[in-house]
Structure formats: structure tokens, C-alpha cells
């Protein structure tokens, strides 16, 4: 695997080309000045929108500003992520953030103004001004919130409380990212060293069981020490959410959380119920894991170690890209051509270099193209990451090409569908073409663990959120004991009785940042299940599903997420897509059992 000590050593073809956004910083500065002027112009509309024409002019200017700001911000962010140690890009990003605050302040009058209009008045404006037809659906969509908007005075008070209401999440972030010091583990030469998160993710997969146990105990140590403090922040976050839902007259905190995507609570409940009705194979997998590892007792620190030792495939970036092309052939020629454009046009930033942002992401820049950040390590995980991020990238590319700016961005609810369909096609291709029994077993294990993490674990988290919010709504005080009892009970229900429960297990809730962004994690599970359902149909040669799926990728946010999925044949208000996905999980577990 090539290693690079500096970014300039990386071949040009493996670095993204930011000149597609701005060829030089003068252009960035020019747009910055334009946006400042446009922001001042937008501000002048406060109190001066009184007919269809002025409303249209405001919205048109606002969209033009949004287009320029999208490019401006993306360029600065991507420059920072190339090398987080350089201070110049950080200064540009900071300026972009400050500009964002100015834009928000200048346009903050608009939503209260809009919701203050009578619906008949707004429809009259749209009728009178032809240009408003483009914005019409978006404007009327805002009226869905009207029942949940308070009086101007109350909104002003809530807005001032906004910062205070976000304190629990912010406090947890500071504890979790800045203050927590993990316990010590034994280093290579027997010396004691402080554990880091990066080390933990590697050590928890180590074949040496003592190393796993030591890392596990060290990792949980600060969470156990801070359990009362963290319980207090989580309790406050949940109570804030429940109180806000009440003030805004939502039937429950859950329904407030689902409102934006227009998802009925029955979809959320159906996900949990159908998963628990089909939980048997998950318990069976835990049992198989215990047998394959030859353990008398299975502990939580045994749940991530690969079941096949010594399988270390070296997969170069070139080979990974070629494998992806072959695996995704069922999606058709146009899809593969788009991927080739990504590579040839340098939309991807491939290599890890000192200071580069870790992890991977896709960022769609409207009017330009997607940018994909990778840190390719020439291994199986990197192959899956490439395929995953390119799924997001093609979704961004097609939606931007086929949708106007107003509906080009797809919602988080459907985002994981495109990436997971790709992963399912990849695992299917690898299992079909791989002859080595150990590698096949390793692939099965890899995909089952991904299924467990993206689906079962997220459904368990979703149920934890639902239960704790309902307790708060009933006035039950939330504390360490309530959180721990709830979490331990759910962990048992989802993972089965083969696991010996160390004290740490029940404190799992204390380390989950997503709990401060309520009713979000279920989207991973619905997206994953939808993708399994679609990929299975595509692999069966169902052309109707393939055509509908490619249309879905072009749809952006032109409809509500559930409606977009329904057009592909996935109806999440029924158990069918969840059951189909769990059937596939059963097949994978059965195949692993026979290896």
C-alpha cells in the first residue's frame, strides 16, 4: 500500500479537483462580496413583501444567494479537509460561517411573515405571479407547520431559549470529545498507554481476547465514572424535547420528530414490532459466534472480533474501483459511465495524508458535481467505503442533473438507500466470484456484522428513544437506573441470552451521541431495509424495480420520502420490506452456520 508523507506526493488523478468550483481565490472573494450585497438586499424585504411580485423577487434572490453560498462554503470546507493543519483554509471557512450567520439574521423575518399570511392570500399570490409556481409547493409545505407555530411573542421567547435548550447536547459533546480520558491499556512493549477511540476500534477486533477485554474495560471506565452526570444531560435533553413538543402542540415528542419527513408514527412502530417478531436469527448469530470462537462464555467484547483469523486481503484502489464497476453492472450502463466520470473528472480524494480529515463522505455541490473524500487503505473495508460513498455520489449527481435547485437535495431519510443498495450488490458479487472458503466466510461475517450495526442496533436505539421519551411524557423521573434498566432489557431482547452481561453493558446508553438528536437513528434501519429489498429485486432481474430505482435516484426531494420509496415498490407502512430484509439476514446467518 502506498504511503504518503505529504499531499503533493499523491498522484494528481487521485486528488479531487476543486478548480471545478473556483479556479482561484479571487473568484471566491468575488462571490463573497456578491453574497454580502445580496444579503443586504434580502434584509430590505422585511416588511416590504405585499404582493406576488415582491414575494417572487425575494425568493428568486434568496435562491441565487443559496446557490452561490453552497459553492463558497463547500470550497472552504473541502480545502480545510485536505489538510486540517493549514490555517489559511480555516480562516476562509470561518468567514463562510460568519457569513452564514449574517444570512440567517437577514432572512429570519421570512418564515414568521409567511406563516402569518392566510392560505387563501398566499394562493392568490401564486395565482397572480407566474414565477411563483416554481416555489409554490415549497411555500404551501411551510403551512403544514402552521398549527405548531406559536404567537410572535412566544416564538421570540422560544428563539431566545434556543441556545439554552441545546445545552445538554453541547455539554455531552464536550464531555465525550474533549474531557473524557479513557483508561490505560498495555502497549506493544508491555508499557501502559492511554487508550484512544481509534485504538479502541482496532483493539476490540483483536484476536487476543485479553487485549479486547482490557480495551473494553478501559473504554467504558470514564462512562461509568461519569454515569450520573451523563444521565443528567440525557434526561435534560429528553425533557427539553418533550416540553417543546407540548408547547408546539404535537401529540407526542415522537410525532414531532417524524413531522418534517411526514412519516406517521405507525412506520416507526412497525419497524420495531416487525424486527422483534423476527429477532430469532439475530439470537442464532450470537450463538454461532460463541461456537465459532470456541468460547465457554460470550461477552460484549467478543461481539466485534472477526470469526476468521488471518484473512487480510490487499485490494489496491485501482482493483477496488474495477471490482465496484463489475459489482454494480446490474444497475446498467449509464450508472457505470457516471462512476467512470467520477474517476476521470477527479471527483474523489483517495489517499490518507497527514492532516487530512479522517473517515469518508460525499458532498454534493449543486451546479458543479459531487466531491467524495476517502482515506483508502487497500483493504476490504476501503472497498466497501468506496462503493458506499459512490452510491451517495451518484444519487447527488442524478438528483442535481434531473431536479431544479429547489428539489435537488435528497432527505436523510432516503440517503442511505443509494449507498446500501451498492453494498448489497457488492457483497453479492464477491460471494458469487470468491472461491476461497475462508475469504467467503470472512465476507459473510463482514456483511452480517454490518447488517447488525446498521439495522438491529439502530432499531434497538430507536426503541430506547421511544421508551425514554414516553416515560418522560408520563412524568417518570429519568436517571441512571431508569436508563440502565431500559438499555439492559433491550440489549437482552435484541442480542439474546448467550451473552454474559458484564456491568458495562447496561451503561451503553451513556456513550451514544445520536440520543441528543432524537428520533434520527431509525432512518438508518429503514434505509437499510429498503435497500436490501430493492437490491434483492434488482438481482432477481426485476426490470420494473430497476427502472423505478433509477428514477428514485433522480428524484431528489421532489416528493416526501415515503412516497418516493413507494414508487419503487417499498411501502414502509407495511411489514413487507422489513420482513424481506430480515429474510435475507436469515439466509446469511444460515450460510455462515454451514461454513
Amino acid at each position: 500500500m502506498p504511503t504518503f508523507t505529504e499531499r503533493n506526493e499523491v498522484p494528481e488523478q487521485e486528488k479531487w479537483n476543486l478548480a471545478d468550483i473556483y479556479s482561484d481565490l479571487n473568484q471566491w472573494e468575488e462571490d463573497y462580496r456578491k453574497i454580502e450585497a445580496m444579503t443586504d438586499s434580502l434584509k430590505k424585504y422585511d416588511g416590504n413583501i405585499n404582493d406576488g411580485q415582491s414575494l417572487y423577487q425575494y425568493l428568486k434572490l434568496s435562491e441565487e444567494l443559496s446557490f452561490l453560498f453552497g459553492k463558497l462554503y463547500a470550497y472552504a470546507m473541502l480545502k480545510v479537509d485536505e489538510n486540517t493543519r493549514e490555517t489559511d483554509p480555516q480562516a476562509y471557512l470561518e468567514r463562510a460561517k460568519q457569513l452564514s450567520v449574517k444570512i440567517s439574521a437577514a432572512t429570519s423575518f421570512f418564515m414568521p411573515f409567511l406563516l402569518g399570511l392566510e392560505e387563501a392570500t398566499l394562493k392568490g399570490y401564486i395565482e397572480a405571479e407566474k414565477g411563483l409556481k416554481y416555489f409554490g409547493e415549497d411555500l404551501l409545505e411551510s403551512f403544514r407547520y402552521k398549527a405548531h407555530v406559536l404567537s410572535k411573542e412566544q416564538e421570540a421567547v422560544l428563539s431566545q431559549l434556543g441556545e439554552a435548550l441545546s445545552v445538554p447536547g453541547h455539554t455531552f459533546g464536550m464531555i465525550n470529545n474533549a474531557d473524557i480520558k479513557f483508561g490505560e491499556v498495555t502497549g506493544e512493549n508491555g508499557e501502559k498507554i492511554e487508550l484512544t477511540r481509534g485504538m479502541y476500534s482496532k483493539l476490540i477486533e483483536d484476536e487476543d481476547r485479553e487485549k479486547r477485554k482490557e480495551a473494553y474495560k478501559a473504554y467504558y471506565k470514564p462512562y461509568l465514572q461519569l454515569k450520573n452526570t451523563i444521565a443528567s444531560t440525557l434526561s435534560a435533553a429528553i425533557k427539553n424535547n418533550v416540553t417543546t413538543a407540548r408547547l408546539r402542540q404535537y401529540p407526542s415528542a415522537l410525532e414531532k420528530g417524524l413531522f418534517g419527513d411526514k412519516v406517521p408514527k405507525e412506520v416507526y412502530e412497525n419497524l420495531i414490532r416487525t424486527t422483534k417478531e423476527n429477532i430469532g436469527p439475530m439470537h442464532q448469530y450470537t450463538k454461532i459466534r460463541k461456537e465459532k470462537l470456541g468460547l465457554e462464555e460470550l461477552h460484549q467484547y467478543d461481539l466485534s472480533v472477526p470469526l476468521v483469523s488471518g484473512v487480510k486481503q490487499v485490494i489496491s484502489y485501482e482493483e477496488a474501483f474495477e471490482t465496484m464497476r463489475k459489482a454494480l453492472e446490474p444497475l446498467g450502463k449509464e450508472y457505470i459511465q457516471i462512476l467512470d466520470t467520477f474517476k476521470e473528472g477527479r471527483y474523489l480524494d483517495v489517499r490518507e495524508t497527514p492532516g487530512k480529515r479522517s473517515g469518508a463522505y460525499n458532498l454534493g455541490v449543486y451546479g458543479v458535481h459531487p466531491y467524495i473524500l476517502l482515506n483508502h487503505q487497500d483493504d476490504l473495508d476501503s472497498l466497501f467505503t468506496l462503493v458506499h460513498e459512490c452510491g451517495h455520489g451518484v444519487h447527488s449527481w442524478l438528483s442535481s442533473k434531473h431536479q431544479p435547485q429547489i428539489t435537488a437535495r435528497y432527505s436523510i431519510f432516503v440517503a442511505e438507500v443509494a449507498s446500501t443498495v451498492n453494498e448489497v450488490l457488492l457483497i453479492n458479487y464477491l460471494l458469487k466470484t470468491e472461491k476461497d472458503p475462508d475469504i467467503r466466510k470472512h465476507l459473510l461475517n463482514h456483511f452480517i456484522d454490518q447488517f447488525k450495526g446498521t439495522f438491529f442496533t439502530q432499531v434497538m436505539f430507536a426503541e430506547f428513544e421511544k421508551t425514554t421519551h414516553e416515560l418522560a411524557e408520563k412524568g417518570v423521573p429519568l436517571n441512571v437506573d431508569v436508563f440502565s434498566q431500559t438499555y439492559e432489557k433491550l440489549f437482552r431482547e435484541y442480542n439474546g441470552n448467550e451473552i454474559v452481561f458484564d456491568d458495562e453493558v447496561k451503561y451503553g446508553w451513556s456513550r451514544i451521541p445520536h440520543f441528543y438528536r432524537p428520533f434520527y437513528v431509525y432512518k438508518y434501519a429503514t434505509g437499510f431495509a429498503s435497500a436490501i429489498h430493492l437490491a434483492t429485486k434488482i438481482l432477481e432481474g426485476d426490470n420494473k424495480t430497476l427502472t423505478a430505482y433509477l428514477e428514485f435516484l433522480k428524484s431528489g426531494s421532489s416528493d416526501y420520502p415515503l412516497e418516493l420509496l413507494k414508487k419503487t415498490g417499498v411501502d414502509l407502512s407495511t411489514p413487507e420490506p422489513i420482513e424481506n430484509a430480515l429474510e435475507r439476514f436469515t439466509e446469511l446467518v444460515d450460510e455462515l452456520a454451514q461454513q
Side-chain angles (χ1 to χ4, degrees), residues 498-551:
E498 289 292 334
I499 301 170
V500 173
F501 275 56
D502 296 301
D503 205 32
E504 285 84 356
V505 174
K506 66 176 179 243
Y507 296 110
W509 56 267
S510 65
R511 58 182 191 85
I512 312 297
H514 275 106
F515 289 159
Y516 297 84
R517 189 178 178 181
F519 307 114
Y520 174 83
V521 293
Y522 86 100
K523 297 177 189 185
Y524 290 118
T526 50
F528 194 81
S530 303
I532 299 272
H533 180 101
L534 287 164
T536 305
K537 296 265 187 206
I538 291 166
L539 287 165
E540 286 166 359
D542 184 335
N543 280 327
K544 192 179 165 196
T545 299
L546 174 60
T547 305
Y549 175 64
L550 293 172
E551 277 307 308

Side-chain angles (χ1 to χ4, degrees), residues 50-112:
N50 38 40
D51 57 15
Q53 192 186 14
S54 50
L55 177 58
Y56 172 64
Q57 285 166 344
Y58 171 82
L59 291 169
K60 192 165 170 287
L61 182 61
S62 180
E63 189 179 68
E64 285 167 18
L65 183 151
S66 173
F67 172 72
L68 290 179
F69 184 76
K71 293 195 334 177
L72 183 99
Y73 192 90
Y75 185 85
M77 180 187 124
L78 296 167
K79 281 303 279 181
V80 166
D81 290 352
E82 285 178 359
N83 189 347
T84 57
R85 300 174 306 180
E86 286 188 8
T87 53
D88 282 356
Q90 284 173 20
Y92 279 94
L93 184 59
E94 196 48 50
R95 283 175 65 201
K97 285 178 180 173
Q98 286 165 2
L99 189 54
S100 171
V101 172
K102 279 185 197 167
I103 296 165
S104 294
T107 56
S108 63
F109 76 91
F110 184 71
M111 201 46 79

Side-chain angles (χ1 to χ4, degrees), residues 415-432:
E416 293 307 318
V417 175
S419 51
T420 309
V421 162
N422 280 13
E423 290 194 55
V424 179
L425 294 177
L426 173 64
I427 196 78
N428 180 76
Y429 172 80
L430 294 173
L431 287 170
K432 205 167 69 178

Side-chain angles (χ1 to χ4, degrees), residues 23 51 193-194 385 388 428 448 479:
S23 57
D51 57 15
I193 51 172
E194 193 188 314
T385 300
H388 180 103
N428 180 76
I448 289 169
N479 53 38

Side-chain angles (χ1 to χ4, degrees), residues 146-151 154-155 157-159 161 165 239-253 256:
K146 193 157 185 171
H148 307 292
V149 172
L150 307 174
S151 71
Q154 289 169 316
E155 284 293 343
V157 172
L158 257 188
S159 142
L161 284 173
L165 291 172
K239 280 188 224 160
N240 285 352
N241 199 35
V242 166
T243 304
T244 310
R246 274 200 194 118
L247 285 172
R248 294 204 174 279
Q249 297 174 1
Y250 287 95
S252 65
K256 174 181 171 282

Side-chain angles (χ1 to χ4, degrees), residues 124 382 541:
S382 292

Side-chain angles (χ1 to χ4, degrees), residues 326-344:
K326 287 176 185 163
L328 302 183
E329 271 174 13
L331 296 176
K333 279 184 184 167
E334 189 198 355
Y335 198 100
I336 305 302
Q337 282 164 358
I338 294 168
L339 292 176
D340 290 341
T341 304
F342 282 19
K343 192 177 182 210
E344 289 153 17

Side-chain angles (χ1 to χ4, degrees), residues 447-482:
F447 194 56
I448 289 169
D449 279 345
Q450 192 205 357
F451 207 127
K452 182 187 165 189
T454 315
F455 185 82
F456 289 101
T457 302
Q458 306 308 323
V459 178
M460 180 181 84
F461 287 168
E463 189 171 357
F464 178 83
E465 288 187 290
K466 183 174 182 288
T467 305
T468 50
H469 276 79
E470 283 170 355
L471 288 170
E473 282 164 345
K474 287 173 190 160
V476 175
L478 299 176
N479 53 38
V480 169
D481 293 340
V482 171

